[in-house]
Amino acid sequence: MKSKWPLRRRGIATVMGMGLALAGAGAAQAAGFETLSASGANVLKTCNPTNSSGVTTCKVTSLPGESGFDLVASRSAPIIINGVSVGTQLEKVWRHCTDKKLFIFGVRVQMNANQWDETGAAFNVNDVLRQVRTDKGVEVAYFAGSPAATKLLKVAGRTFSGLNEYDTAKPPRNNAWVDFRIDANAAEASGPSSPNSPWLLTKTRAPEGYSLQDFALRLLNSENEDVDQNSIYALGYQPVCTSEACAPEEEEEDDD
């Protein structure tokens, strides 16, 4: 829309227009948190599958991605498989300054090239999955971090099924989990490596607070379809759930 300033004030209007344009460009660089669907067939939200610098969906440019949050927890732990440390898991939790039931959970993996099985290949993390409450909405974002991840967040959705774990076009829905599809590997055999994942951010309500739980996180290595897939369940932060309303639904067994 063109400005309707009088001619004698056109110079002021031009300066203001330039300021608004710059503000708009800044906003485009950080699209921010995206809401994940909790129903329907479209489980996955596309973020940046091609690692393009021009794609800003799900992107934030600092931690925790929004103002008004205080850091309330932070930890790091080795990622162990077959008794070998294959990387480090970093976690942070932020709580809103005034809305004490609103949290942002962040996780990042930093992988190394240690040999953990007979193939000699580095452990590749294709998906990071986090447990959440089924009765609360979820928004996600990613931050490239420092050192910056060179491979970013591809897609995210409320599902327990990661790369190559489903045969259909779309994964089955599971609102008890958030899946972040990434590609973190310190020694990628088929292309450039990205030992650091981005920070993977989950914003959700946790009315009963948060706690460390044994199966809060799942790290999935499933890049190769024709070999056994490997996953690691890890201690991590998750929203507390003490009622049936927020607990994971039990899967129904098929009758023979």
Side-chain angles (χ1 to χ4, degrees), residues 89-142:
Q89 166 190 316
L90 306 175
E91 280 194 277
K92 295 181 182 291
V93 182
W94 297 265
R95 182 174 57 198
H96 197 272
C97 299
T98 57
D99 185 350
K100 301 299 186 180
K101 297 179 180 180
L102 182 62
F103 293 82
I104 295 175
F105 296 85
V107 61
R108 182 183 214 196
V109 295
Q110 298 179 314
M111 309 307 295
N112 61 47
N114 291 345
Q115 182 176 346
W116 61 278
D117 70 353
E118 66 278 359
T119 69
F123 192 88
N124 193 94
V125 178
N126 300 108
D127 296 81
V128 175
L129 302 100
R130 178 189 290 283
Q131 282 208 56
V132 292
R133 291 175 59 127
T134 59
D135 64 335
K136 300 301 177 186
V138 169
E139 297 178 41
V140 297
Y142 74 87

Side-chain angles (χ1 to χ4, degrees), residues 23-71:
Q29 293 177 3
F33 282 84
E34 294 282 342
T35 300
L36 297 183
S37 65
S39 62
N42 292 325
V43 176
L44 297 179
K45 172 69 180 181
T46 300
C47 291
N48 193 349
T50 60
N51 301 302
S52 172
S53 60
V55 175
T56 61
T57 307
C58 308
K59 178 184 177 182
V60 296
T61 56
S62 63
L63 291 177
E66 286 189 2
S67 60
F69 285 81
D70 290 328
L71 182 67

Side-chain angles (χ1 to χ4, degrees), residues 162-236:
L163 180 67
N164 293 324
E165 289 195 310
Y166 50 95
D167 298 324
T168 53
K170 301 172 182 178
R173 177 175 298 282
N174 187 330
N175 286 338
W177 292 85
V178 174
D179 174 33
F180 294 93
R181 182 74 49 80
I182 58 170
D183 186 7
N185 191 327
E188 185 71 64
S190 58
S193 300
S194 180
N196 302 296
S197 80
W199 276 98
L200 307 170
L201 304 171
T202 304
K203 182 169 68 171
T204 189
R205 302 192 71 78
E208 299 173 88
Y210 67 94
S211 64
L212 277 172
Q213 297 293 329
D214 286 334
F215 298 97
L217 295 166
R218 178 179 178 238
L219 311 181
L220 176 66
N221 176 356
S222 60
E223 187 170 32
N224 298 314
E225 295 183 69
D226 300 328
V227 300
D228 291 338
Q229 298 168 358
N230 296 275
S231 63
I232 303 169
Y233 288 91
L235 182 75

